[in-house]
Amino acid sequence: MTNRSIFGRKVAAAVAGGASARMLVHGHSHVAGQGSGSSGGLTNAALTGFCEKLATSFATYGLTAKRTGWMADYNTSIDGTNINTFDSRVGFGSGWVSHTSNNVLGGRHIWQSGTASGKGYLTYQPGFTFNGLRAWYPLSPGLSTNVGIYLDNALFTSLNQNGPVNAITASTISAGAPHSLLTVKENGGAGPAFWNGVEFYPTTLPNIAVTVAGGRGQTSDVFANGHDAWSPLPGLAAFSADLVVLYCMTNDLLTNNAVYFFKRNLAAMAVTSVVRGNCIIVVDPPATGSGPFINGTYEDYAEAAKSVAAQYGCGFVDTRMIFSRSWDRANADGLMNSAAHPNDTGHQYIADMIAQEAMKFVN
């Protein structure tokens, strides 16, 4: 019998007709897709980022991959961007908003008051048909007992989020016939409805199902936060991916977070990931050519990331091999959209490098 990694076993089983191997990409705005696409800004950038481009990258190895999962709100509240503007596949109906302070895996909780009138729908139209889904949400005393799950506008089932203790959980929903639209609404359960995210099961299962947890503007201090049961670190543990990609360096550098704290946070995420699956750590491309990106701190961060990867048996992707260590050079080479975001071409290179590293766990 061939010895395989966790991700490799899952991919092999998927190729043989089993469930998809689950890949989670966790990090900041690059993960969310910012800088990619024809607009190069915030309009529908989520549809064209490197997580979406992994499908093309894995295809070169004969594997099918599809972006099938959304966690949280991309932290779009950071600049008041409407989530529907950033990702037209997702929409906030009346009463659905990003929580003002409740950080979770992929941004902030999405929630709807249980007392508001004229409540609308949280909508997902993933762009493919699906036979089922896994809904992620918190449990807590006082939350709604009646959160409606609608498929193609028909009520299919309801979730009870009123739990005796704080927790994060997931419910797997088998939908039977193919559907193309998921909507969610609080239906008078005497409390607010909260939403962490969703993984869809496409009608035709890919070998690799990619879920995006891209919290724009967030740092490793947020990603490694375990204060609440649904905070990012417990969320990472609960998700239990077969392969986690950790991409979380740029905002730490731009906010001058000490190398020690970045390394500590990265180690917490890495060990949480490798206990349950495999992990890849990414060194981000260079950002604007000032401060920590030219005074040696960028190099110290990269060495810290390499050290954590070696300690926990993670894969390691150093995007500087393509982008260089200089934003000026990367920009001159046509790889940057802004002072801190790669453009569409840059996103494709990142996808290719991650897929290449992931294949080391498969072969």
Side-chain angles (χ1 to χ4, degrees):
M1 178 179 293
T2 301
N3 291 323
R4 295 185 184 272
S5 69
I6 297 164
F7 183 62
R9 285 193 290 105
K10 297 293 186 176
V11 170
V15 170
S20 303
R22 294 168 63 241
M23 179 176 180
L24 175 71
V25 189
H26 181 31
H28 51 68
S29 57
H30 296 194
V31 173
Q34 192 165 339
S36 67
S38 57
S39 71
L42 299 178
T43 302
N44 258 343
L47 276 70
T48 52
F50 74 80
C51 294
E52 307 285 341
K53 298 179 188 302
L54 285 168
T56 300
S57 301
F58 277 114
T60 63
Y61 301 100
L63 295 174
T64 59
K66 184 183 288 291
R67 159 59 180 296
T68 59
W70 285 254
M71 296 304 290
D73 76 333
Y74 299 107
N75 201 33
T76 51
S77 59
I78 188 175
D79 52 15
T81 303
N82 185 291
I83 196 170
N84 183 250
T85 299
F86 192 73
D87 190 339
S88 59
R89 297 166 295 191
V90 187
F92 284 1
S94 178
W96 285 101
V97 294
S98 298
H99 198 277
T100 56
S101 61
N102 204 338
N103 290 309
V104 296
L105 184 69
R108 298 182 187 272
H109 256 142
I110 301 168
W111 76 291
Q112 183 178 55
S113 169
T115 58
S117 60
K119 286 176 287 193
Y121 295 88
L122 171 65
T123 64
Y124 291 88
Q125 194 160 5
F128 51 81
T129 59
F130 55 90
N131 290 333
L133 58 95
R134 179 185 284 124
W136 286 93
Y137 55 95
L139 299 175
S140 188
L143 297 191
S144 176
T145 59
N146 188 9
V147 181
I149 301 295
Y150 297 76
L151 301 180
D152 293 344
N153 298 312
L155 181 64
F156 189 81
T157 189
S158 297
L159 303 175
N160 180 359
Q161 299 184 353
N162 185 8
V165 296
N166 292 343
I168 181 173
T169 191
S171 290
T172 299
I173 298 168
S174 297
H179 298 273
S180 60
L181 175 67
L182 165 67
T183 52
V184 183
K185 183 166 74 71
E186 202 289 313
N187 280 334
F194 279 77
W195 190 257
N196 283 70
V198 60
E199 298 174 80
F200 290 99
Y201 303 135
T203 304
T204 302
L205 291 175
N207 302 142
I208 302 168
V210 180
T211 293
V212 174
R216 297 174 50 238
Q218 295 186 323
T219 67
S220 70
D221 288 338
V222 175
F223 300 142
N225 181 1
H227 181 267
D228 297 306
W230 43 76
S231 293
L233 195 63
L236 179 63
F239 195 91
S240 195
D242 302 315
L243 177 65
V244 174
V245 178
L246 298 175
Y247 189 116
C248 52
M249 182 179 290
T250 296
N251 291 327
D252 282 66
L253 280 159
L254 293 176
T255 56
N256 294 301
N257 198 10
V259 176
Y260 169 82
F261 292 115
F262 169 74
K263 185 175 182 180
R264 179 199 63 185
N265 294 337
L266 187 60
M269 289 183 279
V271 72
T272 299
S273 301
V274 300
V275 164
R276 297 160 179 83
N278 298 123
C279 179
I280 293 172
I281 293 175
V282 180
V283 173
D284 297 12
T288 185
S290 62
F293 283 92
I294 62 173
N295 68 9
T297 308
Y298 185 28
E299 307 300 321
D300 293 339
Y301 263 61
E303 286 303 310
K306 187 175 182 180
S307 173
V308 172
Q311 181 177 359
Y312 294 107
C314 303
F316 186 66
V317 169
D318 189 345
T319 64
R320 297 175 302 175
M321 299 298 292
I322 294 287
F323 287 78
S324 83
R325 288 161 161 78
S326 162
W327 181 89
D328 292 334
R329 171 60 190 269
N331 188 53
D333 285 348
L335 301 179
M336 303 303 296
N337 165 257
S338 67
H341 300 97
N343 63 14
D344 200 57
T345 300
H347 273 268
Q348 185 63 67
Y349 278 125
I350 294 167
D352 291 344
M353 295 181 77
I354 290 173
Q356 182 181 40
E357 188 68 12
M359 291 303 298
K360 295 178 181 178
F361 291 104
V362 176
N363 296 325

